[in-house]
Amino acid sequence: VSWAGAAGPYQITKVAATDMGPGAPTISLEDRFDPVKSRAWSKDALQWLSDRNPEFSVPEVLQSYNSGERRILHLLRKKL
């Protein structure tokens, strides 16, 4: 478990696991440690982030998975 509370092979936080937003995939806190279930959740979460933010490049989708969607949106607005 990381200092931020991310757990399992795909470093899923409690908030991401249960409440990323409307229509987002969910995973139980216990399943974050299951390699197969957490891999499937991560794939679905990346697709959800990409569909939700069609203007994001692939690196921006990955960054939003790791640091949070709002943070990336904020940084992109600052560039404008």
Side-chain angles (χ1 to χ4, degrees):
V1 177
S2 77
W3 62 269
Y10 290 87
Q11 292 294 284
I12 304 167
T13 64
K14 290 179 182 180
V15 171
T18 59
D19 190 26
M20 276 198 338
T26 59
I27 187 171
S28 74
L29 298 181
E30 297 81 25
D31 285 345
R32 295 182 299 161
F33 295 95
D34 181 297
V36 173
K37 290 179 180 179
S38 63
R39 182 182 308 115
W41 179 89
S42 294
K43 179 180 177 263
D44 292 345
L46 287 166
Q47 186 63 57
W48 179 80
L49 286 164
S50 179
D51 291 348
R52 184 174 158 99
N53 300 284
E55 73 281 7
F56 280 11
S57 65
V58 171
E60 290 163 346
V61 171
L62 294 171
Q63 290 166 346
S64 67
Y65 176 91
N66 287 308
S67 65
E69 178 185 22
R70 284 188 197 154
R71 181 171 286 152
I72 300 306
L73 288 167
H74 176 74
L75 291 171
L76 290 174
R77 285 188 196 119
K78 281 180 82 173
K79 286 182 182 179
L80 300 176

